[in-house]
Amino acid sequence: MPPFINTPVYFGNFLVTPQVFHLTTHSFALVNIKPLLPGHVLVSPRRAAKRLSDLNHAEVTDLFLTVQQVGRMVERFYGASSLNIAIQDGPAAGQSVPHLHTHIIPRQSADLDGQGGSDAIYGMLEGDEGDVGKHQWEKSNRRPKFPTVDDSSRKPRGEQEMAEEAQKLAHEMTQQQLHDKASQSSL
């Protein structure tokens, strides 16, 4: 368990504590098992709410403030100039884990030119490569509910690699919080 977490953290039915790099009262941020681009992370409510409409006011506020804060950090840390922020709110929208989560994907100019341009990210989110639930099922050695699709260019990451990234990002969140406080006090 990361040193700042004293209880297990679940994403749906999946234990993800080693992937978590930031905790708030109502939310957590975790590294993605199979990121679409470097720095692709998720922010989720601590309570296993399935849909955005299931959250109360405090949870919604905390979730989006956490998305904003984590977004600033990954944009800085990964040298991005923009972000994709996406929620697939329910199964018909492509949600693969029945636990609300926000994708934060750092972007750089022309990063997907070889795959159809900037908007290719949406197809990636909707396709096999963005299927977080499938990759978590595979990691836990449970049989997925759908056929495996060959995605040889992207392999799920191991526990150690994700834990190391989570530790780096936890440090960067601390730096971001200090930077944000300094910025606010100079206003």
Side-chain angles (χ1 to χ4, degrees):
M1 244 185 268
F4 61 92
I5 301 175
N6 55 16
T7 59
V9 178
Y10 286 88
F11 177 50
N13 293 326
F14 305 108
L15 180 65
V16 295
T17 311
Q19 293 171 244
V20 173
F21 64 88
H22 185 64
L23 280 174
T24 67
T25 303
H26 297 290
S27 304
F28 63 93
L30 68 154
V31 299
N32 198 335
I33 188 170
K34 203 168 177 185
L36 296 174
L37 291 171
H40 176 186
V41 299
L42 306 174
V43 175
S44 190
R46 291 177 79 160
R47 184 170 63 87
K50 293 179 182 178
R51 305 283 310 277
L52 183 61
S53 61
D54 295 337
L55 299 182
N56 64 41
H57 179 79
E59 291 169 322
V60 169
T61 301
D62 187 79
L63 179 75
F64 282 101
L65 288 173
T66 303
V67 166
Q68 183 182 48
Q69 187 177 40
V70 170
R72 281 194 304 264
M73 183 275 295
V74 296
E75 189 170 355
R76 178 184 52 77
F77 186 71
Y78 288 95
S81 58
S82 300
L83 298 170
N84 279 107
I85 298 173
I87 295 176
Q88 295 162 303
D89 196 23
Q95 183 183 33
S96 58
V97 175
H99 188 153
L100 178 68
H101 54 284
T102 306
H103 295 262
I104 303 175
I105 307 169
R107 299 298 303 276
Q108 297 174 355
S109 179
D111 58 1
L112 291 175
D113 279 0
Q115 296 174 320
S118 296
D119 287 347
I121 198 74
Y122 302 112
M124 294 167 75
L125 275 168
E126 289 293 322
D128 178 62
E129 54 227 327
D131 194 339
V132 176
K134 175 183 178 240
H135 305 308
Q136 288 288 356
W137 274 99
E138 288 171 351
K139 177 181 144 228
S140 67
N141 295 320
R142 296 181 186 171
R143 184 173 173 255
K145 295 179 182 177
F146 28 78
T148 301
V149 176
D150 181 30
D151 186 19
S152 59
S153 66
R154 291 178 54 245
K155 301 278 186 206
R157 302 186 301 164
E159 291 289 331
Q160 183 66 30
E161 180 182 355
M162 290 188 295
E164 288 171 3
E165 183 180 14
Q167 287 178 339
K168 286 178 194 172
L169 295 181
H171 172 75
E172 290 301 320
M173 281 305 300
T174 301
Q175 297 303 311
Q176 186 66 46
Q177 290 169 330
L178 293 172
H179 179 267
D180 291 349
K181 284 181 185 177
S183 295
Q184 289 174 357
S185 65
S186 67
L187 295 178

